[in-house]
Amino acid sequence: MVGELNDSPFVLAADAFNDWWQAGSGKPITVADLAEAVLEALRQIGTIVQDPTQLARLTAVTPTLRRAKARARVGDIISVPAGRLDQHLVVILCRNRFGTAFGLIRGRYPLRRPATELDAAATGIAVYCDEHAITSRRWRIVGHDDRLLGRFPTDPEIYHRPQPPFPGMPPVGEFGSAETASGPLRDLTAAEAHAIDLDGSYQQVYLHDQFEEVIAALIARRSP
């Protein structure tokens, strides 16, 4: 029915809503209040719609609320499923041109039990991943602790494998190079390249489902 209306009903509805709002108490408008205002506006335009009998059948306007997508903040602690009863925990470190960096926290934690005193479990390892699992609520925001940020790099690096020189690009070191979002490349040592498995399983950025599969291995391989 709404698609059949011309401009006049919408103009009248806007005027009716404005009059209703100005005559109100000044308190915040609830969704239920707005629905009542829309219903009253529709009743007022009954004489100019194409089929007034359809409007007469309208007795209520019921809004359908959509659940807002979760938006995590830097410092939020995120629960990553580790099985039916356990979870891994990570902390959001930053967002930059590489993506979102997550700080890995050692151990597995029971579901529905707030984790405390995570400083000692912070690995110092930062991994880039997408946030789709947060916005879809597969990964839950379970806490916030800005103190954890000091246990991780403020500008986490990604790593480049050794490769022949490429015109116009910075040269990569003999064992690979590290790059931050805000700085130049630096050469890796052989020990660093080995620790991150640069010639093997290393990825610069993970998709959330990949990250779930490898988080335990990343912690085990790269933790001291």
Side-chain angles (χ1 to χ4, degrees):
M1 185 175 77
V2 174
E4 299 175 354
L5 299 177
N6 56 29
D7 290 342
S8 297
F10 293 100
V11 173
L12 290 173
D15 291 342
F17 175 78
N18 188 54
D19 291 342
W20 168 80
W21 180 77
Q22 290 183 348
S25 64
K27 296 180 180 179
I29 300 170
T30 68
V31 175
D33 292 336
L34 181 59
E36 286 293 330
V38 172
L39 178 61
E40 182 60 28
L42 288 172
R43 286 171 175 163
Q44 291 184 30
I45 64 172
T47 58
I48 59 174
V49 296
Q50 292 183 5
D51 188 355
T53 60
Q54 291 290 329
L55 188 61
R57 297 167 55 189
L58 182 63
T59 59
V61 173
T62 303
T64 300
L65 300 180
R66 293 184 178 179
R67 196 175 185 184
K69 290 184 177 180
R71 175 65 172 173
R73 298 177 296 150
V74 170
D76 278 352
I77 300 169
I78 309 298
S79 167
V80 178
R84 201 165 55 88
L85 300 176
D86 295 328
Q87 61 186 338
H88 291 294
L89 296 177
V90 297
V91 58
I92 293 187
L93 303 178
C94 65
R95 295 179 176 95
N96 57 38
R97 63 186 178 91
F98 297 150
T100 301
F102 293 85
L104 307 188
I105 296 172
R106 190 180 295 103
R108 293 162 70 113
Y109 300 84
L111 295 173
R112 300 183 179 88
R113 185 181 301 173
T116 58
E117 302 301 327
L118 295 175
D119 288 32
T123 64
I125 303 167
V127 176
Y128 285 96
C129 182
D130 70 85
E131 294 188 44
H132 177 74
I134 299 175
T135 57
S136 68
R137 288 184 166 81
R138 175 172 174 79
W139 298 358
R140 296 177 298 111
I141 302 170
V142 296
H144 185 92
D145 190 348
D146 286 334
R147 295 175 305 168
L148 281 174
L149 301 179
R151 300 285 183 170
F152 297 90
T154 57
D155 195 1
E157 297 172 321
I158 62 171
Y159 305 103
H160 302 275
R161 292 180 173 88
Q163 59 188 6
F166 192 83
M169 299 294 292
V172 176
E174 177 184 0
F175 302 106
S177 292
E179 180 183 10
T180 63
S182 59
L185 299 184
R186 71 171 182 86
D187 290 352
L188 292 175
T189 65
E192 286 178 314
H194 176 75
I196 63 176
D197 196 21
L198 188 60
D199 290 333
S201 62
Y202 172 74
Q203 286 187 218
Q204 291 181 338
V205 181
Y206 288 92
L207 298 177
H208 61 278
D209 52 349
Q210 296 174 317
F211 184 68
E212 287 185 20
E213 295 177 358
V214 303
I215 180 173
L218 288 173
I219 294 173
R221 179 175 180 84
R222 294 173 57 183
S223 292

